Short mmCIF file of all heavy atoms in Angstrom, two decimals:
data_model
loop_
_atom_site.label_atom_id
_atom_site.label_comp_id
_atom_site.label_asym_id
_atom_site.label_seq_id
_atom_site.Cartn_x
_atom_site.Cartn_y
_atom_site.Cartn_z
N MET A 13 83.78 89.79 115.95
CA MET A 13 84.13 88.38 115.90
C MET A 13 83.91 87.90 114.47
O MET A 13 82.95 88.29 113.80
CB MET A 13 83.23 87.60 116.86
CG MET A 13 83.50 86.12 116.83
SD MET A 13 82.67 85.25 118.16
CE MET A 13 81.30 84.58 117.28
N ARG A 14 84.82 87.08 114.02
CA ARG A 14 84.68 86.49 112.68
C ARG A 14 85.09 85.02 112.77
O ARG A 14 86.13 84.69 113.34
CB ARG A 14 85.56 87.24 111.69
CG ARG A 14 85.36 86.73 110.28
CD ARG A 14 86.05 87.61 109.27
NE ARG A 14 85.81 87.05 107.96
CZ ARG A 14 85.34 87.71 106.93
NH1 ARG A 14 85.07 88.99 107.04
NH2 ARG A 14 85.15 87.12 105.78
N LEU A 15 84.26 84.16 112.16
CA LEU A 15 84.55 82.74 112.10
C LEU A 15 84.39 82.28 110.66
O LEU A 15 83.31 82.37 110.08
CB LEU A 15 83.58 81.96 113.01
CG LEU A 15 83.73 80.44 113.03
CD1 LEU A 15 85.13 80.02 113.48
CD2 LEU A 15 82.67 79.83 113.94
N ASP A 16 85.51 81.84 110.07
CA ASP A 16 85.54 81.42 108.67
C ASP A 16 86.01 79.98 108.58
O ASP A 16 86.71 79.48 109.46
CB ASP A 16 86.51 82.28 107.86
CG ASP A 16 86.07 83.72 107.74
OD1 ASP A 16 84.95 83.95 107.27
OD2 ASP A 16 86.85 84.61 108.12
N VAL A 17 85.65 79.34 107.46
CA VAL A 17 86.12 77.99 107.15
C VAL A 17 86.93 78.09 105.86
O VAL A 17 86.52 78.74 104.90
CB VAL A 17 84.95 77.00 106.97
CG1 VAL A 17 85.47 75.62 106.61
CG2 VAL A 17 84.10 76.94 108.24
N PHE A 18 88.08 77.42 105.85
CA PHE A 18 88.99 77.42 104.70
C PHE A 18 89.23 76.00 104.22
O PHE A 18 89.18 75.06 105.01
CB PHE A 18 90.35 78.02 105.10
CG PHE A 18 90.26 79.47 105.49
CD1 PHE A 18 89.94 79.83 106.78
CD2 PHE A 18 90.50 80.46 104.55
CE1 PHE A 18 89.85 81.17 107.15
CE2 PHE A 18 90.41 81.80 104.90
CZ PHE A 18 90.08 82.15 106.21
N ASP A 19 89.51 75.86 102.92
CA ASP A 19 89.88 74.54 102.40
C ASP A 19 91.37 74.31 102.62
O ASP A 19 92.07 75.17 103.16
CB ASP A 19 89.46 74.37 100.95
CG ASP A 19 90.21 75.26 99.97
OD1 ASP A 19 91.23 75.88 100.33
OD2 ASP A 19 89.77 75.33 98.80
N GLY A 20 91.86 73.16 102.19
CA GLY A 20 93.26 72.81 102.37
C GLY A 20 94.24 73.70 101.63
O GLY A 20 95.42 73.73 101.95
N ASN A 21 93.76 74.45 100.63
CA ASN A 21 94.60 75.37 99.88
C ASN A 21 94.57 76.78 100.44
O ASN A 21 95.15 77.69 99.87
CB ASN A 21 94.18 75.40 98.41
CG ASN A 21 94.44 74.09 97.72
OD1 ASN A 21 95.46 73.45 97.95
ND2 ASN A 21 93.51 73.64 96.89
N GLY A 22 93.84 76.97 101.56
CA GLY A 22 93.78 78.28 102.18
C GLY A 22 92.72 79.22 101.64
O GLY A 22 92.69 80.39 102.00
N ARG A 23 91.85 78.71 100.78
CA ARG A 23 90.76 79.55 100.24
C ARG A 23 89.60 79.57 101.22
O ARG A 23 89.18 78.52 101.71
CB ARG A 23 90.26 79.00 98.90
CG ARG A 23 91.28 79.10 97.78
CD ARG A 23 90.69 78.53 96.51
NE ARG A 23 90.42 77.12 96.72
CZ ARG A 23 90.81 76.14 95.92
NH1 ARG A 23 91.45 76.43 94.81
NH2 ARG A 23 90.55 74.89 96.19
N ARG A 24 89.09 80.77 101.50
CA ARG A 24 87.92 80.88 102.37
C ARG A 24 86.72 80.34 101.62
O ARG A 24 86.44 80.76 100.50
CB ARG A 24 87.66 82.33 102.78
CG ARG A 24 86.54 82.45 103.81
CD ARG A 24 86.17 83.88 104.09
NE ARG A 24 85.81 84.61 102.88
CZ ARG A 24 84.65 84.47 102.22
NH1 ARG A 24 83.73 83.63 102.65
NH2 ARG A 24 84.41 85.18 101.14
N ILE A 25 86.01 79.40 102.23
CA ILE A 25 84.86 78.81 101.56
C ILE A 25 83.54 79.10 102.26
O ILE A 25 82.48 78.95 101.66
CB ILE A 25 85.03 77.28 101.40
CG1 ILE A 25 85.28 76.63 102.74
CG2 ILE A 25 86.13 76.95 100.41
CD1 ILE A 25 85.24 75.13 102.70
N LYS A 26 83.61 79.53 103.52
CA LYS A 26 82.37 79.82 104.24
C LYS A 26 82.66 80.79 105.38
O LYS A 26 83.64 80.62 106.11
CB LYS A 26 81.79 78.52 104.82
CG LYS A 26 80.51 78.66 105.60
CD LYS A 26 79.31 78.62 104.70
CE LYS A 26 78.02 78.50 105.48
NZ LYS A 26 76.90 78.13 104.64
N THR A 27 81.82 81.81 105.50
CA THR A 27 81.86 82.69 106.66
C THR A 27 80.68 82.30 107.53
O THR A 27 79.53 82.38 107.10
CB THR A 27 81.76 84.16 106.25
OG1 THR A 27 82.91 84.48 105.45
CG2 THR A 27 81.73 85.08 107.47
N LEU A 28 80.96 81.85 108.74
CA LEU A 28 79.90 81.42 109.65
C LEU A 28 79.41 82.57 110.52
O LEU A 28 78.22 82.64 110.83
CB LEU A 28 80.39 80.27 110.53
CG LEU A 28 80.80 79.01 109.76
CD1 LEU A 28 81.44 78.01 110.70
CD2 LEU A 28 79.60 78.40 109.08
N VAL A 29 80.32 83.44 110.95
CA VAL A 29 79.96 84.59 111.78
C VAL A 29 80.83 85.77 111.36
O VAL A 29 82.04 85.61 111.18
CB VAL A 29 80.19 84.32 113.28
CG1 VAL A 29 79.86 85.54 114.12
CG2 VAL A 29 79.39 83.12 113.76
N HIS A 30 80.22 86.94 111.21
CA HIS A 30 80.97 88.17 110.98
C HIS A 30 80.15 89.31 111.57
O HIS A 30 79.37 89.95 110.86
CB HIS A 30 81.24 88.39 109.50
CG HIS A 30 82.16 89.55 109.25
ND1 HIS A 30 82.19 90.20 108.06
CD2 HIS A 30 83.05 90.18 110.04
CE1 HIS A 30 83.08 91.18 108.12
NE2 HIS A 30 83.61 91.18 109.32
N ALA A 31 80.26 89.48 112.87
CA ALA A 31 79.44 90.47 113.57
C ALA A 31 80.04 90.79 114.93
O ALA A 31 80.79 89.99 115.48
CB ALA A 31 78.02 89.94 113.75
N MET A 32 79.68 91.93 115.46
CA MET A 32 80.05 92.27 116.83
C MET A 32 79.23 91.37 117.75
O MET A 32 78.04 91.14 117.52
CB MET A 32 79.74 93.74 117.14
CG MET A 32 80.55 94.70 116.30
SD MET A 32 82.33 94.64 116.66
CE MET A 32 82.34 95.29 118.32
N GLN A 33 79.88 90.84 118.78
CA GLN A 33 79.21 89.94 119.72
C GLN A 33 79.54 90.37 121.14
O GLN A 33 80.66 90.79 121.42
CB GLN A 33 79.69 88.49 119.51
CG GLN A 33 79.50 87.93 118.13
CD GLN A 33 78.07 87.54 117.86
OE1 GLN A 33 77.27 87.36 118.76
NE2 GLN A 33 77.72 87.42 116.59
N ALA A 34 78.58 90.23 122.03
CA ALA A 34 78.84 90.45 123.45
C ALA A 34 79.74 89.33 123.97
O ALA A 34 79.72 88.21 123.44
CB ALA A 34 77.52 90.47 124.22
N ALA A 35 80.51 89.63 125.00
CA ALA A 35 81.41 88.64 125.58
C ALA A 35 80.59 87.60 126.35
O ALA A 35 79.96 87.92 127.36
CB ALA A 35 82.41 89.31 126.50
N ARG A 36 80.54 86.38 125.83
CA ARG A 36 79.88 85.25 126.48
C ARG A 36 80.16 84.00 125.66
O ARG A 36 80.81 84.07 124.63
CB ARG A 36 78.38 85.47 126.62
CG ARG A 36 77.62 85.55 125.33
CD ARG A 36 76.14 85.82 125.56
NE ARG A 36 75.42 85.60 124.32
CZ ARG A 36 74.52 84.65 124.13
NH1 ARG A 36 74.21 83.84 125.10
NH2 ARG A 36 73.92 84.52 122.97
N ASP A 37 79.67 82.86 126.08
CA ASP A 37 79.85 81.61 125.35
C ASP A 37 78.88 81.54 124.18
O ASP A 37 77.73 81.97 124.29
CB ASP A 37 79.61 80.40 126.25
CG ASP A 37 80.69 80.23 127.30
OD1 ASP A 37 81.81 80.73 127.08
OD2 ASP A 37 80.42 79.59 128.33
N TYR A 38 79.35 80.99 123.06
CA TYR A 38 78.53 80.82 121.86
C TYR A 38 78.74 79.42 121.31
O TYR A 38 79.80 78.83 121.48
CB TYR A 38 78.92 81.82 120.76
CG TYR A 38 78.53 83.23 121.07
CD1 TYR A 38 79.42 84.09 121.70
CD2 TYR A 38 77.27 83.70 120.74
CE1 TYR A 38 79.07 85.38 121.99
CE2 TYR A 38 76.91 85.01 121.03
CZ TYR A 38 77.81 85.84 121.66
OH TYR A 38 77.45 87.13 121.95
N ALA A 39 77.75 78.93 120.60
CA ALA A 39 77.87 77.67 119.85
C ALA A 39 77.49 77.98 118.41
O ALA A 39 76.50 78.66 118.15
CB ALA A 39 76.94 76.62 120.42
N VAL A 40 78.30 77.49 117.48
CA VAL A 40 78.06 77.71 116.06
C VAL A 40 78.12 76.36 115.36
O VAL A 40 79.04 75.58 115.60
CB VAL A 40 79.11 78.67 115.45
CG1 VAL A 40 78.90 78.83 113.95
CG2 VAL A 40 79.09 80.01 116.15
N SER A 41 77.15 76.08 114.51
CA SER A 41 77.13 74.84 113.74
C SER A 41 77.44 75.14 112.28
O SER A 41 77.08 76.21 111.78
CB SER A 41 75.75 74.18 113.83
OG SER A 41 75.46 73.82 115.14
N TRP A 42 78.06 74.17 111.63
CA TRP A 42 78.35 74.28 110.19
C TRP A 42 77.81 73.03 109.52
O TRP A 42 78.09 71.91 109.94
CB TRP A 42 79.85 74.43 109.97
CG TRP A 42 80.27 74.45 108.55
CD1 TRP A 42 79.69 75.14 107.53
CD2 TRP A 42 81.38 73.77 107.97
NE1 TRP A 42 80.37 74.94 106.35
CE2 TRP A 42 81.42 74.09 106.60
CE3 TRP A 42 82.35 72.91 108.47
CZ2 TRP A 42 82.38 73.58 105.74
CZ3 TRP A 42 83.30 72.41 107.62
CH2 TRP A 42 83.32 72.75 106.26
N ASP A 43 77.03 73.21 108.48
CA ASP A 43 76.39 72.09 107.79
C ASP A 43 77.23 71.49 106.67
O ASP A 43 76.75 70.66 105.91
CB ASP A 43 75.02 72.50 107.27
CG ASP A 43 75.09 73.64 106.26
OD1 ASP A 43 76.21 74.11 105.93
OD2 ASP A 43 74.03 74.10 105.81
N GLY A 44 78.48 71.90 106.53
CA GLY A 44 79.35 71.33 105.50
C GLY A 44 79.13 71.89 104.11
O GLY A 44 79.48 71.25 103.12
N THR A 45 78.55 73.10 104.03
CA THR A 45 78.34 73.74 102.73
C THR A 45 79.24 74.97 102.61
O THR A 45 79.74 75.49 103.59
CB THR A 45 76.87 74.18 102.55
OG1 THR A 45 76.54 75.13 103.56
CG2 THR A 45 75.93 72.99 102.62
N ASP A 46 79.40 75.43 101.36
CA ASP A 46 80.16 76.65 101.13
C ASP A 46 79.21 77.85 101.19
O ASP A 46 78.02 77.70 101.50
CB ASP A 46 80.93 76.58 99.81
CG ASP A 46 80.05 76.50 98.58
OD1 ASP A 46 78.82 76.70 98.68
OD2 ASP A 46 80.59 76.26 97.49
N ASP A 47 79.72 79.05 100.90
CA ASP A 47 78.90 80.26 100.95
C ASP A 47 77.76 80.25 99.94
O ASP A 47 76.80 80.99 100.08
CB ASP A 47 79.76 81.51 100.72
CG ASP A 47 80.43 82.01 101.98
OD1 ASP A 47 79.91 81.74 103.09
OD2 ASP A 47 81.47 82.68 101.88
N GLU A 48 77.87 79.41 98.90
CA GLU A 48 76.82 79.31 97.87
C GLU A 48 75.79 78.23 98.20
O GLU A 48 74.87 77.99 97.43
CB GLU A 48 77.45 79.02 96.50
CG GLU A 48 78.50 80.03 96.07
CD GLU A 48 77.93 81.44 95.94
OE1 GLU A 48 76.80 81.57 95.41
OE2 GLU A 48 78.59 82.39 96.39
N GLY A 49 75.98 77.53 99.33
CA GLY A 49 75.05 76.48 99.73
C GLY A 49 75.34 75.11 99.16
O GLY A 49 74.56 74.18 99.35
N ARG A 50 76.45 74.98 98.45
CA ARG A 50 76.83 73.68 97.86
C ARG A 50 77.48 72.79 98.91
O ARG A 50 78.35 73.25 99.66
CB ARG A 50 77.80 73.89 96.70
CG ARG A 50 77.20 74.67 95.54
CD ARG A 50 78.25 74.91 94.48
NE ARG A 50 79.28 75.79 95.02
CZ ARG A 50 79.78 76.85 94.39
NH1 ARG A 50 79.38 77.14 93.17
NH2 ARG A 50 80.70 77.59 94.96
N ALA A 51 77.09 71.52 98.94
CA ALA A 51 77.70 70.56 99.86
C ALA A 51 79.16 70.33 99.46
O ALA A 51 79.46 70.14 98.28
CB ALA A 51 76.93 69.25 99.84
N LEU A 52 80.04 70.35 100.44
CA LEU A 52 81.46 70.14 100.18
C LEU A 52 81.80 68.65 100.30
O LEU A 52 81.16 67.92 101.05
CB LEU A 52 82.29 70.94 101.16
CG LEU A 52 82.12 72.45 101.02
CD1 LEU A 52 82.73 73.17 102.20
CD2 LEU A 52 82.76 72.93 99.73
N PRO A 53 82.81 68.21 99.56
CA PRO A 53 83.18 66.80 99.62
C PRO A 53 83.90 66.46 100.93
O PRO A 53 84.34 67.34 101.66
CB PRO A 53 84.14 66.64 98.43
CG PRO A 53 84.72 67.99 98.24
CD PRO A 53 83.62 68.96 98.60
N SER A 54 84.01 65.17 101.21
CA SER A 54 84.80 64.74 102.36
C SER A 54 86.19 65.31 102.26
O SER A 54 86.74 65.46 101.17
CB SER A 54 84.90 63.20 102.38
OG SER A 54 83.64 62.62 102.57
N GLY A 55 86.75 65.64 103.39
CA GLY A 55 88.11 66.17 103.39
C GLY A 55 88.42 66.94 104.65
O GLY A 55 87.61 67.00 105.58
N THR A 56 89.59 67.53 104.67
CA THR A 56 90.05 68.31 105.82
C THR A 56 89.89 69.78 105.51
O THR A 56 90.32 70.26 104.46
CB THR A 56 91.53 68.00 106.13
OG1 THR A 56 91.66 66.60 106.39
CG2 THR A 56 92.01 68.77 107.34
N TYR A 57 89.29 70.49 106.44
CA TYR A 57 89.07 71.93 106.34
C TYR A 57 89.62 72.58 107.61
O TYR A 57 89.98 71.88 108.55
CB TYR A 57 87.58 72.22 106.16
CG TYR A 57 87.03 71.62 104.89
CD1 TYR A 57 86.56 70.31 104.87
CD2 TYR A 57 87.03 72.33 103.71
CE1 TYR A 57 86.09 69.74 103.70
CE2 TYR A 57 86.56 71.77 102.52
CZ TYR A 57 86.10 70.48 102.54
OH TYR A 57 85.64 69.91 101.37
N PHE A 58 89.67 73.88 107.63
CA PHE A 58 90.21 74.59 108.79
C PHE A 58 89.28 75.74 109.14
O PHE A 58 88.85 76.49 108.27
CB PHE A 58 91.61 75.11 108.48
CG PHE A 58 92.57 74.02 108.16
CD1 PHE A 58 92.73 73.58 106.86
CD2 PHE A 58 93.27 73.38 109.16
CE1 PHE A 58 93.59 72.54 106.56
CE2 PHE A 58 94.12 72.34 108.88
CZ PHE A 58 94.29 71.91 107.58
N SER A 59 88.99 75.86 110.44
CA SER A 59 88.21 77.01 110.91
C SER A 59 89.17 78.02 111.51
O SER A 59 90.20 77.65 112.07
CB SER A 59 87.17 76.58 111.95
OG SER A 59 87.80 76.10 113.11
N ASN A 60 88.84 79.29 111.35
CA ASN A 60 89.67 80.35 111.92
C ASN A 60 88.74 81.33 112.64
O ASN A 60 87.86 81.92 112.02
CB ASN A 60 90.47 81.07 110.84
CG ASN A 60 91.42 82.07 111.45
OD1 ASN A 60 92.29 81.71 112.23
ND2 ASN A 60 91.25 83.34 111.11
N LEU A 61 88.96 81.48 113.94
CA LEU A 61 88.19 82.40 114.76
C LEU A 61 89.06 83.61 115.06
O LEU A 61 90.17 83.47 115.56
CB LEU A 61 87.78 81.73 116.06
CG LEU A 61 87.08 82.61 117.09
CD1 LEU A 61 85.74 83.10 116.56
CD2 LEU A 61 86.90 81.85 118.40
N SER A 62 88.55 84.81 114.73
CA SER A 62 89.25 86.07 115.01
C SER A 62 88.39 86.90 115.94
O SER A 62 87.23 87.18 115.62
CB SER A 62 89.50 86.86 113.73
OG SER A 62 90.30 86.13 112.85
N VAL A 63 88.95 87.27 117.07
CA VAL A 63 88.28 88.15 118.03
C VAL A 63 89.29 89.22 118.40
O VAL A 63 90.28 88.94 119.08
CB VAL A 63 87.81 87.38 119.28
CG1 VAL A 63 87.14 88.33 120.26
CG2 VAL A 63 86.90 86.23 118.91
N GLY A 64 89.06 90.43 117.93
CA GLY A 64 90.03 91.50 118.16
C GLY A 64 91.35 91.12 117.50
O GLY A 64 91.40 90.74 116.35
N MET A 65 92.42 91.17 118.27
CA MET A 65 93.75 90.83 117.77
C MET A 65 94.07 89.34 117.94
O MET A 65 95.11 88.87 117.52
CB MET A 65 94.82 91.66 118.49
CG MET A 65 94.68 93.15 118.26
SD MET A 65 94.89 93.62 116.54
CE MET A 65 96.62 93.30 116.33
N ARG A 66 93.16 88.59 118.55
CA ARG A 66 93.41 87.17 118.83
C ARG A 66 92.83 86.29 117.72
O ARG A 66 91.72 86.54 117.25
CB ARG A 66 92.77 86.81 120.16
CG ARG A 66 93.10 85.43 120.61
CD ARG A 66 92.59 85.18 121.99
NE ARG A 66 92.91 83.81 122.35
CZ ARG A 66 92.37 83.18 123.34
NH1 ARG A 66 91.48 83.77 124.10
NH2 ARG A 66 92.70 81.94 123.60
N GLN A 67 93.58 85.27 117.32
CA GLN A 67 93.12 84.31 116.31
C GLN A 67 93.39 82.90 116.80
O GLN A 67 94.39 82.64 117.46
CB GLN A 67 93.84 84.52 114.99
CG GLN A 67 93.47 85.80 114.30
CD GLN A 67 93.96 85.81 112.87
OE1 GLN A 67 94.13 84.77 112.25
NE2 GLN A 67 94.17 87.00 112.34
N GLU A 68 92.48 82.00 116.42
CA GLU A 68 92.67 80.60 116.74
C GLU A 68 92.16 79.76 115.58
O GLU A 68 91.08 80.03 115.04
CB GLU A 68 91.90 80.23 118.02
CG GLU A 68 92.17 78.82 118.48
CD GLU A 68 91.58 78.56 119.85
OE1 GLU A 68 91.58 79.47 120.70
OE2 GLU A 68 91.12 77.43 120.06
N SER A 69 92.93 78.76 115.19
CA SER A 69 92.55 77.88 114.07
C SER A 69 92.40 76.46 114.57
O SER A 69 93.11 76.03 115.48
CB SER A 69 93.62 77.92 112.98
OG SER A 69 93.67 79.20 112.41
N ARG A 70 91.48 75.74 113.93
CA ARG A 70 91.25 74.33 114.25
C ARG A 70 91.03 73.55 112.96
O ARG A 70 90.51 74.07 111.99
CB ARG A 70 89.99 74.16 115.11
CG ARG A 70 90.04 74.86 116.45
CD ARG A 70 90.75 73.98 117.45
NE ARG A 70 91.00 74.69 118.69
CZ ARG A 70 90.37 74.50 119.81
NH1 ARG A 70 89.41 73.60 119.87
NH2 ARG A 70 90.69 75.17 120.88
N LYS A 71 91.40 72.27 113.00
CA LYS A 71 91.16 71.38 111.87
C LYS A 71 89.75 70.81 112.00
O LYS A 71 89.30 70.46 113.08
CB LYS A 71 92.19 70.25 111.87
CG LYS A 71 92.04 69.31 110.72
CD LYS A 71 93.20 68.36 110.54
CE LYS A 71 93.58 67.62 111.77
NZ LYS A 71 94.56 66.56 111.51
N VAL A 72 89.05 70.72 110.85
CA VAL A 72 87.70 70.16 110.78
C VAL A 72 87.71 69.10 109.69
O VAL A 72 88.19 69.36 108.59
CB VAL A 72 86.67 71.27 110.42
CG1 VAL A 72 85.28 70.68 110.32
CG2 VAL A 72 86.72 72.42 111.39
N VAL A 73 87.18 67.93 109.98
CA VAL A 73 87.13 66.84 108.99
C VAL A 73 85.68 66.53 108.66
O VAL A 73 84.86 66.33 109.56
CB VAL A 73 87.85 65.58 109.53
CG1 VAL A 73 87.73 64.44 108.53
CG2 VAL A 73 89.30 65.88 109.84
N ILE A 74 85.38 66.50 107.37
CA ILE A 74 84.05 66.10 106.89
C ILE A 74 84.16 64.69 106.32
O ILE A 74 85.02 64.42 105.48
CB ILE A 74 83.52 67.04 105.78
CG1 ILE A 74 83.29 68.44 106.33
CG2 ILE A 74 82.24 66.48 105.18
CD1 ILE A 74 82.83 69.43 105.26
N LEU A 75 83.30 63.80 106.79
CA LEU A 75 83.22 62.45 106.25
C LEU A 75 81.81 62.27 105.71
O LEU A 75 80.83 62.40 106.43
CB LEU A 75 83.49 61.42 107.33
CG LEU A 75 84.88 61.47 107.97
CD1 LEU A 75 84.97 60.50 109.12
CD2 LEU A 75 85.94 61.18 106.94
N ARG A 76 81.70 62.00 104.43
CA ARG A 76 80.37 61.81 103.82
C ARG A 76 80.22 60.39 103.40
O ARG A 76 81.04 59.69 103.03
CB ARG A 76 80.22 62.73 102.60
CG ARG A 76 80.29 64.18 103.00
CD ARG A 76 79.39 64.99 102.09
NE ARG A 76 79.55 66.39 102.35
CZ ARG A 76 78.71 67.10 103.11
NH1 ARG A 76 77.69 66.54 103.69
NH2 ARG A 76 78.90 68.38 103.30
#
C-alpha cells in the first residue's frame, strides 16, 4: 500500500504510507507538512492511494 500527497503541479510532496499492510480498515492523518517537515501553504493538494493494481485519488484542501 502506498499513500502519497501531491501538489497542484503533480509533484509528490509527502509519502504518508509505503508498506505492506494486512487487509483491514486504516486511518491516516496528515499534518499539512512536506517530506522535509515544512508546513505547506493554504491550497489544493491531491492524495493518491495505491493498493496492488488499484488507485484512488482525492482532493485535499488546506486552509491556514
Side-chain angles (χ1 to χ4, degrees):
M13 178 169 101
R14 185 171 180 128
L15 179 59
D16 294 304
V17 179
F18 295 86
D19 67 12
N21 293 321
R23 293 180 296 231
R24 186 187 55 75
I25 55 171
K26 180 85 169 194
T27 297
L28 298 172
V29 178
H30 188 202
M32 296 294 293
Q33 303 283 342
R36 65 182 192 115
D37 290 337
Y38 289 93
V40 177
S41 297
W42 176 44
D43 61 2
T45 61
D46 64 11
D47 276 335
E48 304 299 319
R50 296 177 294 226
L52 295 168
S54 295
T56 302
Y57 299 87
F58 299 89
S59 65
N60 186 60
L61 174 65
S62 299
V63 179
M65 298 297 291
R66 187 173 179 196
Q67 291 193 27
E68 186 171 324
S69 295
R70 299 276 171 107
K71 182 168 52 171
V72 179
V73 177
I74 294 177
L75 298 174
R76 297 213 186 261

